[in-house]
Amino acid sequence: MYNTALRMVNDPFEAEDLMQEAFLDAFENMDAFEGRASFGSWLKRIVINRCLNHLKKRKIDFAYADEETWEKIPERNVEEHNVQISPETVSQAIAQLADGFRIILSLYLIEGYDHQEIAQILNIQPSTSRSQFVRGREKLRKILIQQFEMKM
């Protein structure tokens, strides 16, 4: 649950606080647990909701830019160089993304939500979720390429 909170808010202290608050919410509302899903997934949903409520107060910025305004990704392909990228490296790169990109990538790739569910959670359109995912993935790819090139 801590890792989920950390991926969402990108701050270890905030993640700890939000996780603890989510646990308190869960135990105070244990009678609301209906058993339709596992306890772990119910608790994770509380953690995610707690984090999203916190982030809404910070005003998550979703990028709405024309395709022409985005920087071109270098044509180099990391796979050509047979490079192993560690999970820690990817995690650090994800942490560098803007809130909107990081949250949608985390919800989609790590938590397993689809774009319709993400749209409902974040109160955005599914098309916004998809475009943020694509743009966030490209930004992540660019960060990883830059890190790779710095090591060369």
Side-chain angles (χ1 to χ4, degrees):
M1 297 305 152
Y2 171 74
N3 287 333
T4 298
L6 182 59
R7 282 190 298 271
M8 298 293 292
V9 297
N10 205 29
D11 180 294
F13 299 111
E14 284 182 358
E16 284 179 18
D17 289 345
L18 291 166
M19 184 189 67
Q20 289 175 355
E21 291 170 11
F23 273 87
L24 286 173
D25 287 348
F27 290 116
E28 288 174 358
N29 297 301
M30 191 64 78
D31 57 330
F33 177 62
E34 297 173 354
R36 284 190 248 153
S38 71
F39 180 77
S41 63
W42 180 72
L43 182 58
K44 184 179 277 191
R45 183 60 189 216
I46 293 171
V47 170
I48 289 170
N49 286 340
R50 185 54 96 147
C51 292
L52 289 173
N53 288 338
H54 174 76
L55 289 169
K56 284 178 186 174
K57 292 175 188 170
R58 283 190 353 203
K59 303 284 186 205
I60 303 170
D61 288 326
F62 292 104
Y64 298 100
D66 295 330
E67 294 300 320
E68 295 142 17
T69 63
W70 290 90
E71 297 177 50
K72 298 268 185 205
I73 304 296
E75 293 300 317
R76 285 180 137 168
N77 192 349
V78 174
E79 293 86 16
E80 292 174 1
H81 300 284
N82 196 23
V83 174
Q84 294 290 321
I85 300 174
S86 71
E88 294 81 23
T89 301
V90 175
S91 180
Q92 291 169 357
I94 289 173
Q96 295 177 41
L97 294 171
D99 286 347
F101 293 147
R102 189 184 68 255
I103 291 166
I104 289 179
L105 280 173
S106 294
L107 290 173
Y108 186 83
L109 294 174
I110 300 168
E111 304 303 332
Y113 291 101
D114 64 29
H115 291 295
Q116 186 67 37
E117 293 169 320
I118 294 169
Q120 290 173 345
I121 290 168
L122 298 176
N123 197 26
I124 58 175
Q125 294 295 315
S127 59
T128 302
S129 176
R130 283 189 286 279
S131 67
Q132 291 293 290
F133 173 75
V134 169
R135 291 173 177 159
R137 185 180 58 195
E138 288 303 311
K139 287 282 196 187
L140 178 61
R141 182 173 170 258
K142 183 177 181 181
I143 291 168
L144 291 170
I145 288 171
Q146 288 174 342
Q147 289 178 357
F148 167 73
E149 288 176 345
M150 287 174 37
K151 290 180 183 179
M152 296 284 300

